[in-house]
Amino acid sequence: MRSRNVSAPGTYGKSRVASTSAVEEHNGTRWDDGSPIARAVHTAGNVARDFSVSPLARDDWIESVPLDEDGHILFFKSTNWAASALGPVETWSLGLRMHAFTVFADSRAACIYWGPEKIAIYNAHFAKLSGQVHPRLMGRSFRECFPELWADIAPRFDQAWESGIADSVSRIPLLTTRNGYPEETYFTGNFVPIRDIDGLVGGFYNSAMEVTKQVIFERRSAMLNLMNVPSGLHDGSLDTHVIPALKTNGLDITMALLYKVDEESTLGKTQLLLQSKIGVPDGHRLAAEQADLNSAVGLLPLFRQAQNEIITLPVDERFDGIEWQGCGEPSKHFSILPLSTAGRLFGFLVVGANPRRRIDFDHHDFMQNLAAKLSAIAASIVSAEETRKRAERLEKELVESEREIRYMAQNASVGMQHLSIDGNIMWANNQYYELTGHRRDQQSYALAFAEVYLEEDRPKAISAWNRLMNGEFSVSVELRLRTRTFTPPTGDPEPASILSLSNPYIEDGKVKSVMTCTTEISQLKWAESFEARKAADAREAKRQQEEIIDIISHEMRNPLSAIFQCADMIQNSLKEYKTKESTETALMDLLVSNTEHAAIILMCANHQKRIVDDVLTLSKLEYMMLSVSPRPIEPLQFVQRAVHMFATDLASHDIKLSIKAEPSLAANHVGKIMFDPSRVAQILINLLTNAIKFTRQEPKREISIQFGASLSNPRNVFSRKMNWAPGNSTSNETTVDGTEWGDGEVLYFTLSVTDTGVGMTNEEIKKLFHRFTQASSKTSIKYGGSGLGLFISKKLTEKQGGEIGVCSGPGAGSTFAFYVKGRRAPKGTGFPISTTISSSSPLATEPKFVERKPQGLDYIHVLLVEDNLVNQKVLSKQLRDAGCTVHIANHGMEALEFLRGSDAWHDKIVGFKRVDIILMDWEMPVMDGLACSQEIRKLQNDGEVIRHVKIIATTANAREEQIQRALESGIDAVMPKPFMTSDLLTKMRAMLSPTPQD
């Protein structure tokens, strides 16, 4: 071994200080060139650190150790180190002082064993693991405090000291007193050699982790895995399957009594028979060989209590004389486990608990698993015994009354057949041939019985046969016939189904033949399938009902919030005007503001009207109540009026829109056309809404509308690549009959909307035009919408004798086209000209809102996360009027980005913004409110967000389960839309007010 100077006990720390002071010299300190650390210092630019100004160099260095909440550092300081082998802390070497700082800063359980005596210095986490050794361990040697481990650990210390390489220990067993008694525990850790200032090993750094639960769980699992549940025909009793495994785990099974129910008990009595025992001497008062469950012998009264559940009780004087297994200590508790399945009692197991472990969840879980495994074994054994007895009884009866049985079998209502061991039909009754359609005169051959089954079911039949040949006593299998069909009450005929139940005839342990009973179950199988379809349809109907309720609620509540807030501002405007100086400018500002609020109310009301109209239209379409009212319409004016509704959206997103009349109008001399403008406008508005929604975020933003007329074959007007929605391609011709349509020539009004949006794949196109369905699940998240518009448009075109379709490709934009049937109007031959509406159109100008000065209310810094621009504008204005500073985020990702630049972020940037509370919408593109709130709470738990920022959800999702879901996502409170801003401010102030605990 390497030779080194070892100081006498009580001076090891001091000798290192003296040694250090003798070899250091820089700014008054000299370094010994022989030290590895000194050489490293000289190598690094020949610049040494001035340790004389370091807190570690002072005699009172111990005062620099940061205090902790547990008071452990004070305990460390109060230890009489002068009486230890390390000596007074003022004499400790610089290396030991640094390592002491490290161990107290470690968030793990850690301990330093310093010097030849391995003197312990440890942190508060290690103290909790050390149990009864703490506080005696502090300042004492490893050998003194862990004598039971010293023989195993000492060689590891020596090897690590010599090699300078860490050594690990795994699952060291320790008796730790932490709950008032010696507790069985296991630890895994390592011993890392650590250097003193001279570069030599001065001690060991030990970090430990408790693995007690893992070790005990594996030990108990290993015992349970030794208990195999028998299957099929088998030998052995309950105790031979259970007791050997229990004996392998004496620590957790300190004693055992196994009783089974005597199946031959007389009616009304439950007789228990002792099967085996562990640690219970013969003749012990608890080990009654046989007893009635209703008696008072031994533990029988407790057995009655434990018939339906496991009970655990303290050990009493009745257990005197037990030869306790495992560590030899008497158990403090015992458990009684009922062995039962499906209400049938098989027996009881009494086990003693580990005296060195608590009666906790792990113990109860172990007992539950043990009871379940034993119950399964007992059930299998009883089932095998019953099956064996039943087979023996049947065989005897067959021998005694073969003629009677054959007569009964021949005329039985179920099909019966007797098969040889090669699968040949030896005999079958009439019902079998009628059920299966098997020909009586068919030549017999091996596995002939399988001939009547469907090709795909024959492997199942052969597998069942092989199980019988391998000794399985009873095999049941459902099969379909190829020789017979079943005609259900509704639907097409299908192959008939039968249930086959087979039992082998066994002699001298060998299968001699097989008896099979066959019953038709075609009606039952059809009924099961029919009921399953009905249940699936009911679930789907319920899902759709909840979905439409959620969609309508959300789409109606969002504009309601803006309406409430605008109306509130209009209502309070007069009062506000009276409190100010009455000037013409103030009055004009008030009128302009109220006009803007009224315009917002009208816009929101129109949005709600469209939602209601959609729902009513859908309802009328479902119940065939929708009427069509034709009027003479000039096509260009019709299209321009529809486009005018979107002028603001087009301008705000800089979308160029063009309207073009097809040459077919002039070629066919079409002026005005008879059709229902409200129904056709509803289709056009839906298509324009989608075009704007999917184009507004693209680099190229263009929409073109083309319209025309066709006298026949309207599909030919459009591209051959058009994918027409499935359904009726034409409507009933009576839709354009009747006096209101006039007697003009029948024609088709054609219209298409082309955009430069994101486009769609063929798979996404197939999902269109269905109720509540969008092309992709990501569509609703990024662009919003309910998936109802295109479904209604399809129904409206069909109602008016037309079709709707789409032509699209990924990144190539989309063209939606439709046509409806109408008639040529009696008058009107004016032909349209091309026109273009772009963002520069005067129709697209957006009104400017007048901002008011704060009213001196509470100065709250608010982050408003809202994607609806109207709600965003209205609510932010009202909050600013109330004296708040408002920051805006359009979705969850922007909110997270704002937080990183706020005073709530752990690493503040220059110019950070203050945030007191977050108002969070739910349904938003990119990242919704729930996902954002969950991420904020995760960042808070990780220490990225340094304080709890209150979050109020301002959402139209107001069902109870939705509110609960929001709260579970980390939101503090929910403010359902619509709401008054004054109520919101009251809630904000209440949440931000300090509580008595604060």
Side-chain angles (χ1 to χ4, degrees), residues 493-633:
E494 56 190 42
S497 298
I498 59 101
L499 174 66
S500 174
L501 178 63
S502 303
N503 296 89
Y505 176 70
I506 301 175
E507 240 180 48
D508 300 328
K510 294 183 179 180
V511 177
K512 298 297 184 182
S513 62
V514 174
M515 199 69 192
T516 300
C517 296
T518 305
T519 305
E520 181 165 10
I521 57 172
S522 301
Q523 183 78 23
L524 176 62
K525 298 301 292 181
W526 175 84
E528 288 177 353
S529 176
F530 180 75
E531 289 300 322
R533 289 193 297 271
K534 283 177 60 179
D537 291 343
R539 287 193 297 270
E540 178 61 20
K542 183 176 182 293
R543 185 194 67 79
Q544 290 187 0
Q545 182 184 29
E546 290 180 348
E547 187 171 12
I548 191 172
I549 290 173
D550 288 345
I551 291 171
I552 293 173
S553 173
H554 182 269
E555 294 299 321
M556 293 291 285
R557 282 176 176 268
N558 256 329
L560 267 180
S561 183
I563 290 173
F564 268 72
Q565 293 161 19
C566 287
D568 184 39
M569 286 192 285
I570 293 173
Q571 186 178 24
N572 293 326
S573 62
L574 181 59
K575 179 180 178 181
E576 182 181 343
Y577 175 71
K578 291 179 178 180
T579 60
K580 291 185 175 181
E581 182 181 353
S582 300
T583 64
E584 183 178 351
T585 301
L587 181 59
M588 182 57 66
D589 290 346
L590 190 62
L591 290 175
V592 171
S593 177
N594 285 351
T595 302
E596 293 171 353
H597 298 154
I600 292 174
I601 291 174
L602 286 175
M603 182 177 65
C604 294
N606 283 328
H607 174 76
Q608 288 182 311
K609 181 178 181 297
R610 285 197 297 271
I611 296 296
V612 174
D613 286 346
D614 277 352
V615 175
L616 291 177
T617 300
L618 180 63
S619 176
K620 290 179 180 180
L621 286 169
E622 292 287 332
Y623 294 100
M624 304 175 66
M625 296 171 59
L626 189 73
S627 61
V628 177
S629 304
R631 289 165 45 199
I633 301 299

Side-chain angles (χ1 to χ4, degrees), residues 791-851:
F791 174 76
I792 292 176
S793 298
K794 171 180 175 289
K795 290 294 185 180
L796 288 174
T797 55
E798 292 176 351
K799 181 69 176 178
Q800 299 175 84
E803 289 183 281
I804 188 170
V806 62
C807 176
S808 182
S814 302
T815 297
F816 282 85
F818 71 92
Y819 64 86
V820 295
K821 184 182 289 188
R823 286 184 180 271
R824 190 189 298 271
K827 296 179 181 181
T829 57
F831 303 123
I833 58 175
S834 297
T835 184
T836 299
I837 298 178
S838 68
S839 59
S840 61
S841 170
L843 296 174
T845 51
E846 184 176 346
K848 303 295 182 182
F849 287 84
V850 179
E851 182 139 340

Side-chain angles (χ1 to χ4, degrees), residues 421-493:
I421 58 173
D422 61 358
N424 186 21
I425 301 176
M426 301 168 60
W427 169 87
N429 66 356
N430 296 330
Q431 187 66 14
Y432 167 77
Y433 289 108
E434 292 179 11
L435 279 177
T436 62
H438 201 286
R439 290 173 51 190
R440 293 176 182 269
D441 58 350
Q442 190 169 356
Q443 185 177 1
S444 296
Y445 53 89
L447 301 178
F449 69 91
E451 180 67 24
V452 297
Y453 305 129
L454 287 178
E455 188 70 30
E456 53 266 35
D457 281 10
R458 288 181 190 173
K460 190 194 302 184
I462 300 303
S463 174
W465 177 260
N466 292 334
R467 289 162 58 193
L468 290 166
M469 293 299 101
N470 290 331
E472 194 164 339
F473 183 74
S474 180
V475 177
S476 176
V477 62
E478 295 178 0
L479 299 162
R480 293 171 297 167
L481 300 173
R482 69 172 182 83
T483 51
R484 274 187 60 243
T485 59
F486 166 72
T487 303
T490 60
D492 299 327

Side-chain angles (χ1 to χ4, degrees), residues 5-13 15 84-87 116-117:
N5 296 327
V6 178
S7 303
T11 63
Y12 185 75
S15 66
S84 72
L86 298 182
E117 294 85 4

Side-chain angles (χ1 to χ4, degrees), residues 10 150 189 228 316 333 538 759 777 895:
W150 179 250
N228 296 319
D316 54 25
H333 294 84
S777 60

